Amino acid sequence: MGIKQLAVCSNGKVYKNINKTEKVRRKEKKLRRLQRSVSRKYEMNKEGGKVVKTRNSIKLEKKIRLLHRSLRNIRSNHLHQTTSEIVKTKPSTVVMETLNIRGMMRNRHLAKAVAKQGFYELKRQLKYKCALYGIAFVEAGLWYPSSKICSSCGHKKDKLSLSERMYECEVCGVKIDRDFNASINLSRYEKSSLTS
Ligand SMILES: [Zn+2]
């Protein structure tokens, strides 16, 4: 799971980050414009330090509410579509990485993007949909180094920076997309955790 894409699965399926689509971007831009304009209206119509709502500002507030709702629905639909599609591939087990969401939220460059992805909701949906279909749901341990292990030979890197989008193994020479590599490791998680 991530910011670049919502989810990358070990069967090769990639689920996009809906917040990067033109549709969502346009709505967010429009929302920001309306918010600026309504706060200008509040400033203009102050009476003795108190905000007096005008018919125009009430109209703008309604438009803002509707846009918020529309964005919420788009994001929620995307999560439902994604989680439904994953369980409909009928895996025996779904292994999901444990994201350090609180840690990511502390990074102010990431916080907004992380919040908009709705990872907790994604997990909640995946969990109950797996239960519905009789699929085992496993969360990998927080410290399982799914990104650092080579899915081809099992070598584990000491360091892997976030900017390295390609996993390049210095032992076996394999070159593979970073997230796809991690997803393959996660798909083997249960077995590896049982044997070690
Ligand atoms: Zn390797």
Side-chain angles (χ1 to χ4, degrees):
M1 303 204 323
I3 300 298
K4 199 174 168 234
Q5 263 114 21
L6 175 63
V8 176
C9 299
S10 58
N11 63 0
K13 275 290 285 180
V14 173
Y15 297 95
K16 66 179 176 219
N17 178 350
I18 193 82
N19 300 300
K20 288 189 169 178
T21 57
E22 194 53 43
K23 192 176 166 192
V24 169
R25 280 192 164 149
R26 228 180 299 129
K27 280 181 187 275
E28 284 186 323
K29 200 174 166 193
K30 198 171 166 193
L31 182 62
R32 281 197 299 274
R33 208 186 61 225
L34 288 171
Q35 279 165 336
R36 271 198 306 272
S37 118
V38 80
S39 67
R40 257 199 315 272
K41 292 240 175 338
Y42 291 155
E43 279 305 310
M44 267 165 25
N45 298 300
K46 264 186 183 168
E47 269 174 32
K50 257 191 103 180
V51 173
V52 179
K53 284 191 184 174
T54 58
R55 206 171 301 159
N56 261 330
S57 67
I58 290 167
K59 226 191 275 170
L60 279 173
E61 282 175 354
K62 193 183 173 198
K63 275 189 187 165
I64 290 171
R65 266 201 312 278
L66 288 176
L67 260 178
H68 271 303
R69 188 167 73 193
S70 160
L71 281 164
R72 215 162 43 234
N73 286 341
I74 290 171
R75 290 188 181 117
S76 165
N77 281 345
H78 183 58
L79 287 179
H80 273 296
Q81 265 170 22
T82 300
T83 50
S84 289
E85 220 180 292
I86 290 172
V87 295
K88 275 175 189 156
T89 62
K90 296 197 171 72
S92 59
T93 310
V94 169
V95 184
M96 193 175 142
E97 67 178 317
T98 304
L99 279 174
N100 182 5
I101 295 170
R102 229 177 280 163
M104 286 162 84
M105 293 292 278
R106 247 179 264 130
N107 179 337
R108 65 190 174 89
H109 298 294
L110 287 179
K112 257 192 195 165
V114 172
K116 279 192 276 190
Q117 287 287 59
F119 290 131
Y120 282 120
E121 178 60 14
L122 180 80
K123 184 169 120 185
R124 189 191 68 84
Q125 288 181 14
L126 209 48
K127 229 174 174 171
Y128 87 74
K129 287 181 189 181
C130 278
L132 219 59
Y133 284 77
I135 299 162
F137 179 84
V138 177
E139 234 186 308
L142 185 55
W143 307 114
Y144 177 65
S146 56
S147 298
K148 287 182 185 159
I149 298 169
C150 170
S151 60
S152 190
C153 75
H155 169 70
K156 185 178 153 260
K157 281 180 190 280
D158 291 328
K159 264 181 86 179
L160 182 74
S161 87
L162 260 174
S163 59
E164 290 174 59
R165 299 313 305 172
M166 275 302 229
Y167 184 99
E168 292 185 38
C169 181
E170 56 261 38
V171 174
C172 73
V174 79
K175 256 183 157 182
I176 179 173
D177 175 80
R178 172 205 182 94
D179 296 325
F180 186 47
N181 179 61
S183 77
I184 294 170
N185 289 326
L186 284 161
S187 76
R188 297 169 182 158
Y189 174 75
E190 225 185 356
K191 276 174 245 160
S192 66
S193 65
L194 285 174
T195 50
S196 65

